[in-house]
PDB file of all heavy atoms in Angstrom:
ATOM      1  N   VAL D  73     -24.652  14.811   9.676  1.00  0.00           N
ATOM      2  CA  VAL D  73     -23.593  15.722  10.089  1.00  0.00           C
ATOM      3  C   VAL D  73     -24.025  16.523  11.318  1.00  0.00           C
ATOM      4  O   VAL D  73     -23.241  16.711  12.260  1.00  0.00           O
ATOM      5  CB  VAL D  73     -23.207  16.661   8.932  1.00  0.00           C
ATOM      6  CG1 VAL D  73     -22.177  17.686   9.387  1.00  0.00           C
ATOM      7  CG2 VAL D  73     -22.658  15.850   7.757  1.00  0.00           C
ATOM      8  N   ALA D  75     -26.166  15.644  13.620  1.00  0.00           N
ATOM      9  CA  ALA D  75     -26.156  14.763  14.794  1.00  0.00           C
ATOM     10  C   ALA D  75     -24.737  14.561  15.305  1.00  0.00           C
ATOM     11  O   ALA D  75     -24.492  14.573  16.520  1.00  0.00           O
ATOM     12  CB  ALA D  75     -26.786  13.421  14.425  1.00  0.00           C
ATOM     13  N   VAL D 246     -42.311  19.400   4.166  1.00  0.00           N
ATOM     14  CA  VAL D 246     -41.541  20.492   3.573  1.00  0.00           C
ATOM     15  C   VAL D 246     -42.334  21.185   2.480  1.00  0.00           C
ATOM     16  O   VAL D 246     -42.353  22.425   2.396  1.00  0.00           O
ATOM     17  CB  VAL D 246     -40.194  19.962   3.029  1.00  0.00           C
ATOM     18  CG1 VAL D 246     -39.499  21.020   2.170  1.00  0.00           C
ATOM     19  CG2 VAL D 246     -39.295  19.562   4.181  1.00  0.00           C
ATOM     20  N   ARG D 307     -17.226 -20.737 -15.991  1.00  0.00           N
ATOM     21  CA  ARG D 307     -16.735 -21.350 -14.757  1.00  0.00           C
ATOM     22  C   ARG D 307     -17.654 -21.112 -13.574  1.00  0.00           C
ATOM     23  O   ARG D 307     -17.674 -21.870 -12.606  1.00  0.00           O
ATOM     24  CB  ARG D 307     -15.339 -20.790 -14.442  1.00  0.00           C
ATOM     25  CG  ARG D 307     -14.669 -21.418 -13.235  1.00  0.00           C
ATOM     26  CD  ARG D 307     -13.342 -20.743 -12.936  1.00  0.00           C
ATOM     27  NE  ARG D 307     -13.532 -19.390 -12.430  1.00  0.00           N
ATOM     28  CZ  ARG D 307     -13.715 -19.092 -11.134  1.00  0.00           C
ATOM     29  NH1 ARG D 307     -13.769 -20.056 -10.247  1.00  0.00           N
ATOM     30  NH2 ARG D 307     -13.858 -17.850 -10.758  1.00  0.00           N
ATOM     31  N   VAL D 328     -23.041   4.230 -17.983  1.00  0.00           N
ATOM     32  CA  VAL D 328     -23.711   4.760 -19.183  1.00  0.00           C
ATOM     33  C   VAL D 328     -24.672   5.882 -18.820  1.00  0.00           C
ATOM     34  O   VAL D 328     -24.729   6.921 -19.506  1.00  0.00           O
ATOM     35  CB  VAL D 328     -24.453   3.621 -19.916  1.00  0.00           C
ATOM     36  CG1 VAL D 328     -25.317   4.191 -21.046  1.00  0.00           C
ATOM     37  CG2 VAL D 328     -23.459   2.616 -20.469  1.00  0.00           C
ATOM     38  N   VAL D 443      -0.723   9.560   2.498  1.00  0.00           N
ATOM     39  CA  VAL D 443       0.182  10.661   2.166  1.00  0.00           C
ATOM     40  C   VAL D 443      -0.610  11.826   1.591  1.00  0.00           C
ATOM     41  O   VAL D 443      -0.359  12.999   1.904  1.00  0.00           O
ATOM     42  CB  VAL D 443       1.266  10.191   1.175  1.00  0.00           C
ATOM     43  CG1 VAL D 443       2.030  11.381   0.598  1.00  0.00           C
ATOM     44  CG2 VAL D 443       2.235   9.239   1.865  1.00  0.00           C
ATOM     45  N   PHE D 516     -33.321  29.683  -5.038  1.00  0.00           N
ATOM     46  CA  PHE D 516     -34.621  29.204  -4.560  1.00  0.00           C
ATOM     47  C   PHE D 516     -35.611  30.364  -4.533  1.00  0.00           C
ATOM     48  O   PHE D 516     -35.303  31.436  -3.992  1.00  0.00           O
ATOM     49  CB  PHE D 516     -34.492  28.605  -3.164  1.00  0.00           C
ATOM     50  CG  PHE D 516     -35.796  28.055  -2.638  1.00  0.00           C
ATOM     51  CD1 PHE D 516     -36.350  26.917  -3.184  1.00  0.00           C
ATOM     52  CD2 PHE D 516     -36.479  28.703  -1.629  1.00  0.00           C
ATOM     53  CE1 PHE D 516     -37.563  26.425  -2.724  1.00  0.00           C
ATOM     54  CE2 PHE D 516     -37.683  28.225  -1.147  1.00  0.00           C
ATOM     55  CZ  PHE D 516     -38.225  27.075  -1.708  1.00  0.00           C
TER      56      PHE D 516
END
Side-chain angles (χ1 to χ4, degrees):
V73 176
V246 169
R307 184 184 70 87
V328 172
V443 168
F516 182 70

